[in-house]
């Protein structure tokens, strides 16, 4: 076997190891031996990439949210949850009012800080809206279980309230704008997530 | 609520509890497999936001069918295959060739020159993972698909042929070409590194 024949046989991989001619050339030709060793090294190192990257927390958040919406996650405390279907036809009157009432009971698992959700940055403003009664209630139940987390939840709720305010203003300015409609839906969804996380905390 | 975190529970138990709608069991299963699934998606599409969407889709598809799942041993295989299907579907939708069937045939002399390279032909005894990762990103889609499925994920050529829709011979040849291309890219990156030593800033 010469170098050209060796190269033509190389793609066969491990099957070549039973080929005496292949092995003979491999052991007697430094150039082919070097090439085969490099390819083998690349192949062996590639395995280490199989679990190399960690997905950001928002991937689980999104999965959990979806599983709850589809009823696949049914935590005992959260069976009353009736989230609006994410892409259903938009009707702000159907969603806003019942949502406010349902929020107290609703829950969607959310592990992470809203401030770290890069897709939708929400910054508290100087004029952060005050927390409503439901917000205060949920904060109290968090504080009862894990007082050290109360401030983090408070901050998150304030942020998401700002987000909702901004989204409402934008939608009022352009009531037909689908992006603005979606933005408000997303804002409510984020608030749901904070509530859910708080509910999980409170029930632990 | 916290027994899954505190107690050491196995995958089979988590699967049974997930079937009952236990959110923590789903999270446990997700945490067990997230790196593998996300890494696979990321290697294949080389785009983090897209990889996140694909990983999410793969897990959702799996969790929706969890009620049909029987037996622990095949769970990761099941998830793994589902992830590959989700990714391949996406690549097909994007109109990317999973396999390059019509590559120009190079003459033997060219092929030999390219395969052996110049004077300094050998790679070092180990490869930097970051460099390997960025070299994989530069592979043409067809090469990348087979390389990731075979060398990173450990699928056999006959499985790849089935998933991608090509012959076993085709899969072998794409893999070989992918490895050759990676070797070239790694040598290039090593040469660049030698010219620009780390820490040198302009
Ligand atoms: Zn040779």
């Amino acid at each position: 076997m010469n170098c050209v024949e060796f190269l033509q046989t190389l793609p066969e991989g491990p099957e070549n190891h039973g080929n005496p001619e292949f092995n003979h050339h491999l052991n007697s030709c430094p150039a082919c031996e070097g090439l085969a060793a490099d390819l083998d090294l690349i192949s062996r190192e590639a395995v280490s990439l199989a679990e190399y990257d960690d997905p950001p927390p928002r991937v689980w958040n999104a999965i959990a949210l979806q599983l709850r919406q589809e009823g696949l996650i049914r935590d005992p405390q959260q069976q009353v949850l009736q989230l609006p279907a994410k892409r259903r036809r938009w009707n702000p009157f159907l969603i806003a009012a019942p949502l406010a009432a349902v929020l107290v009971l609703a829950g969607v698992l959310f592990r992470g800080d809203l401030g770290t959700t890069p897709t939708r940055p929400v910054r508290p403003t100087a004029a952060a809206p005050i927390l409503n009664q439901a917000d205060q209630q949920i904060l109290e139940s968090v504080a009862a279980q894990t007082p050290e987390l109360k401030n983090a939840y408070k901050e998150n709720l304030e942020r998401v309230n700002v987000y909702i305010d901004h989204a409402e203003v934008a939608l009022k300015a352009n009531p037909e704008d689908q992006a603005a409609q979606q933005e408000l839906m997303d804002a409510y969804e984020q608030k749901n997530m904070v509530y859910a996380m708080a509910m999980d905390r409170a029930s632990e | 609520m916290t027994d899954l975190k505190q107690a050491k529970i196995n995958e089979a138990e988590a699967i049974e509890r997930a079937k009952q709608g236990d959110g923590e069991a789903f999270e446990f299963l997700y945490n067990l497999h997230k790196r593998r699934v996300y890494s696979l998606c990321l290697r294949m599409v080389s785009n983090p936001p897209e990889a996140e969407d694909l990983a999410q889709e793969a897990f959702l598809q799996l969790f929706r069918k969890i009620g049909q799942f029987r037996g622990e041993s095949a769970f990761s295989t099941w998830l793994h295959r589902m992830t590959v299907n989700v990714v391949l579907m996406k690549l097909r939708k994007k109109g990317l060739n999973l396999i390059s069937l019509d590559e120009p045939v190079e003459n033997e002399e060219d092929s030999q020159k390219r395969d052996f390279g110049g004077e300094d032909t050998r790679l070092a005894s180990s490869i930097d993972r970051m460099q390997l990762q960025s070299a994989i990103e530069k592979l043409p889609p067809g090469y990348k698909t087979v390389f990731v499925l075979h060398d990173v994920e450990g699928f056999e050529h006959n499985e790849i042929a089935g998933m991608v829709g090509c012959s076993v011979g085709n899969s072998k040849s794409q893999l070989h070409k992918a490895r050759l291309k990676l070797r070239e890219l790694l040598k290039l990156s090593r040469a660049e590194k030698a010219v620009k030593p780390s820490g040198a800033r302009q």
Side-chain angles (χ1 to χ4, degrees), chain A residues 2-3 25 29 32, chain B residues 116:
Chain A
N2 60 28
C3 293
H25 188 84
C29 173
C32 288
Chain B
F116 288 119

Side-chain angles (χ1 to χ4, degrees), chain A residues 1-4 6-7 25-26 28-33, chain B residues 112 116:
Chain A
M1 185 179 277
N2 60 28
C3 293
V4 171
F6 180 88
L7 289 177
H25 188 84
L26 183 69
S28 60
C29 173
C32 288
E33 190 272 330
Chain B
Q112 231 179 318
F116 288 119

Side-chain angles (χ1 to χ4, degrees), chain A residues 3-4 6-8 10-15 25 29-64 66-68 70-78 86 109 111 119 199-201 203-204, chain B residues 1-2 5 18-24 26-28 30-32 34-40 42-43 52-53 55-57 59-60 63-64 66 108 111-112 115-116 121-130 132-133 136 147 150-153 157 172-173 176 179-180 182-184 186-187:
Chain A
C3 293
V4 171
F6 180 88
L7 289 177
Q8 286 168 342
L10 202 50
E12 286 306 314
E15 288 167 32
H25 188 84
C29 173
C32 288
E33 190 272 330
L35 173 70
D38 278 356
L39 300 188
D40 189 48
L41 176 66
I42 289 170
S43 180
R44 277 184 285 116
E45 295 282 337
V47 178
S48 68
L49 294 178
E51 298 194 30
Y52 191 52
D53 299 275
D54 208 6
R58 62 177 167 270
V59 176
W60 168 247
N61 297 337
I63 292 170
Q66 190 66 28
L67 291 175
R68 282 167 197 275
E70 293 179 21
L72 288 162
I73 290 181
R74 302 179 296 272
D75 289 345
Q77 298 88 341
Q78 295 162 348
K86 201 177 173 193
L109 191 65
R111 303 201 187 273
T119 45
M199 296 284 291
D200 276 0
R201 283 276 168 222
S203 58
E204 264 169 17
Chain B
M1 284 295 282
T2 51
K5 285 172 197 154
K19 285 179 186 175
Q20 308 307 313
D22 183 331
E24 287 199 337
F26 278 110
E27 191 175 3
F28 174 87
Y30 171 80
N31 284 327
L32 210 54
K34 63 179 178 179
R35 290 184 75 93
R36 187 75 191 270
V37 167
Y38 178 66
S39 297
L40 167 58
L42 190 56
R43 289 291 92 65
E52 287 173 28
D53 286 350
Q56 185 183 326
E57 185 55 32
F59 273 108
L60 281 172
F63 288 156
R64 284 177 188 133
I66 202 157
E108 282 168 358
S111 142
Q112 231 179 318
D115 293 348
F116 288 119
T121 54
R122 293 288 294 264
L123 289 172
S125 57
S126 69
I127 301 171
D128 179 79
R129 276 192 208 173
M130 291 288 282
L132 180 57
Q133 188 178 319
I136 293 172
F147 179 81
H150 189 281
D151 279 3
V152 181
E153 299 300 327
H157 283 296
K172 283 181 181 176
S173 118
H176 182 64
R179 288 175 181 164
L180 288 174
L182 286 171
R183 181 179 183 246
E184 207 178 293
L186 287 166
K187 284 202 293 187

Side-chain angles (χ1 to χ4, degrees), chain A residues 128-151:
Chain A
I130 46 166
L131 302 175
N132 65 29
Q133 209 181 348
D135 297 343
Q136 297 290 359
Q137 236 173 317
I138 198 89
L139 277 181
E140 275 160 32
S141 46
V142 169
Q145 197 67 21
T146 39
E148 68 276 14
L149 288 177
K150 187 186 174 186
N151 278 341

Side-chain angles (χ1 to χ4, degrees), chain B residues 137-198:
Chain B
E137 284 172 15
K138 291 177 190 139
L139 287 177
Y143 292 0
K144 193 196 284 183
T145 303
V146 175
F147 179 81
V148 171
L149 293 180
H150 189 281
D151 279 3
V152 181
E153 299 300 327
F155 285 104
E156 300 292 338
H157 283 296
N158 59 346
E159 297 176 291
I160 295 169
M163 290 187 284
V164 169
C166 68
S167 68
V168 168
N170 211 211
S171 173
K172 283 181 181 176
S173 118
Q174 297 270 314
L175 175 67
H176 182 64
K177 287 171 183 166
R179 288 175 181 164
L180 288 174
K181 183 76 188 162
L182 286 171
R183 181 179 183 246
E184 207 178 293
L185 290 165
L186 287 166
K187 284 202 293 187
L188 199 69
S189 113
R190 188 181 60 178
E192 278 169 4
K193 218 176 169 184
V195 175
K196 265 192 285 176
S198 61

